């Protein structure tokens, strides 16, 4: 298995996601050139060849890559040649939006359980996923062996939720709460802070020309 | 005005946002040391001093920064010492979640207009913001002189929406559609692709240890 999962620089991963998406959408199976892939993804052909060369000899010089092989290889490397169960904590507006987000299911991410502390929500279903009481979080995550979670709770509750998740086997978290949570060395937490993104835009509009 | 808005490296901006948030939450007005700010933000005191030194002599060595002055200066630099009107395009689940996101208003971002192409939504209000037909996008953005927009439409509609916005004076866009849109030199587009973020997590869980 080692050879299927070479250590790849973190900066390459988002680009592999983009190539993968283009390959999945590419109906004309057979062979694809780096020029064609460049046209579909907006990355330069040189960059694409360099990124793909990372994981060994691949493709036929002058012709291109066999679409199915390349797709399979990238899916393996990204770890999305399987279904990942995901716990969603927080079923408010943002949580509901994430539950409805088609892209997750398409890419192999299955929201297996949702949690909230609002009595009006608990017991109801959202997009066919039952919403459970936050008290059940430890038990369900452990029983279902869930390793990945999405946090969409208010800032003041986020660190406690993250601590509970990490204690029960979750190792990868997508966090929308506007805090910089403390994790651990064997944990990956990606923070998406929407206000900070808007502030970057404000700074762009405001800067001297 | 030039001196108020020095050219600051893009990588510093998200950290300034973090410092700013800590300063706003810091009730004990007066003076704050870089050590205290470090404790509140999880950044090292050395990094904080370096980042703040970017915009000139500031604070008293050995004592710290005057909270109000520092806050005011960072707000100016980030361009959030004012209200920014924002157009929201797409009032589906994600759009509704963004409309309800308290953080935006708190940071000075005002969703001044929302647009959709769904007849069932048009004319209704969401969080007090009326939803208009997408056909009105050009006119409203131009009339209200809106410079900033959030895109929460399906992938296949995103580029057209972005082209319309750019043609009508919008220069800064936060895009949630899973495409890499074409912009222009005087335009800032920040793409948030949630599937790509989950794929990074999957790769983390999948990689050789």
């Amino acid at each position: 298995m080692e050879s299927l999962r070479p250590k790849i620089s973190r900066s390459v991963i988002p680009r592999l996601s983009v190539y993968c998406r283009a390959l999945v959408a590419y109906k004309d199976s057979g062979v694809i050139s780096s020029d064609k892939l460049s046209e579909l993804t907006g990355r330069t052909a040189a960059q694409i060849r360099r990124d793909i060369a990372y994981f060994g000899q691949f493709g036929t010089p002058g012709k291109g890559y066999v679409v199915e092989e390349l797709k399979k290889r990238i899916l393996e490397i990204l770890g999305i040649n399987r279904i990942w169960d995901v716990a969603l904590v927080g079923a408010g507006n943002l949580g509901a939006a994430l539950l409805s987000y088609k892209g997750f299911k398409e890419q192999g991410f299955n929201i297996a359980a949702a949690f909230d502390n609002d009595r009006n929500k608990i017991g109801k279903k959202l997009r066919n996923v039952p919403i459970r009481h936050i008290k059940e979080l430890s038990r369900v995550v452990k029983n279902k062996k869930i390793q990945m979670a999405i946090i969409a709770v208010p800032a003041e509750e986020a660190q406690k939720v993250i601590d509970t998740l990490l204690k029960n086997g979750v190792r990868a978290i997508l966090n929308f709460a506007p805090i910089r949570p403390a994790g651990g060395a064997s944990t990956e937490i990606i923070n998406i802070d929407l206000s900070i993104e808007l502030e970057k835009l404000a700074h762009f509009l405001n800067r001297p020309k």
Side-chain angles (χ1 to χ4, degrees), chain A residues 89 134-139 141-142 151 157-170 173:
Chain A
V89 190
I134 189 91
K135 277 185 194 160
E136 293 188 63
L137 184 60
S138 303
R139 189 180 58 74
V141 162
K142 215 190 290 173
I151 314 265
E157 292 165 34
Q159 187 63 55
K160 208 180 139 203
V161 166
I162 289 170
D163 293 343
T164 305
L165 290 169
L166 298 183
K167 223 183 287 168
N168 289 284
V170 168
I173 293 174

Side-chain angles (χ1 to χ4, degrees), chain A residues 151-160 162 175-180:
Chain A
I151 314 265
V153 301
E156 56 276 18
E157 292 165 34
Q159 187 63 55
K160 208 180 139 203
I162 289 170
N175 170 46
F176 286 91
I179 64 161
R180 298 254 143 195

Side-chain angles (χ1 to χ4, degrees), chain A residues 118-144:
Chain A
D118 179 348
R119 282 169 192 281
N120 295 316
K121 286 181 187 141
I122 293 158
K124 291 192 181 139
K125 280 189 176 183
L126 212 55
R127 302 274 153 174
N128 264 326
V129 179
I131 299 171
R132 300 164 194 259
H133 196 291
I134 189 91
K135 277 185 194 160
E136 293 188 63
L137 184 60
S138 303
R139 189 180 58 74
V140 173
V141 162
K142 215 190 290 173
N143 284 356
K144 288 187 185 266

Side-chain angles (χ1 to χ4, degrees), chain A residues 49-128:
Chain A
R49 285 194 296 269
R50 218 178 313 124
D51 286 344
I52 291 175
Y54 254 122
F55 40 96
Q57 258 325 30
F58 225 74
T60 318
K63 278 187 72 186
Y65 308 102
V66 176
V67 174
E68 284 308 314
E69 269 181 41
L70 181 59
K71 196 163 66 184
K72 183 159 168 272
R73 192 67 185 268
I74 295 180
L75 287 169
E76 277 166 2
I77 287 171
L78 291 177
I80 51 174
N81 55 337
R82 51 162 283 182
I83 304 289
W84 289 98
D85 280 340
V86 180
L88 172 70
V89 190
N93 282 296
L94 181 58
L98 295 170
L99 263 173
S100 322
Y101 184 60
K102 276 179 287 180
F104 285 162
K105 199 134 220 175
E106 282 165 13
Q107 309 286 122
F109 299 102
N110 170 47
I111 297 187
F115 303 87
D116 207 292
N117 61 5
D118 179 348
R119 282 169 192 281
N120 295 316
K121 286 181 187 141
I122 293 158
K124 291 192 181 139
K125 280 189 176 183
L126 212 55
R127 302 274 153 174
N128 264 326

Side-chain angles (χ1 to χ4, degrees), chain A residues 37-56:
Chain A
L37 205 44
S38 162
E39 189 191 314
L40 295 173
T41 61
R43 305 300 179 153
T44 68
Q47 166 110 79
I48 290 169
R49 285 194 296 269
R50 218 178 313 124
D51 286 344
I52 291 175
Y54 254 122
F55 40 96

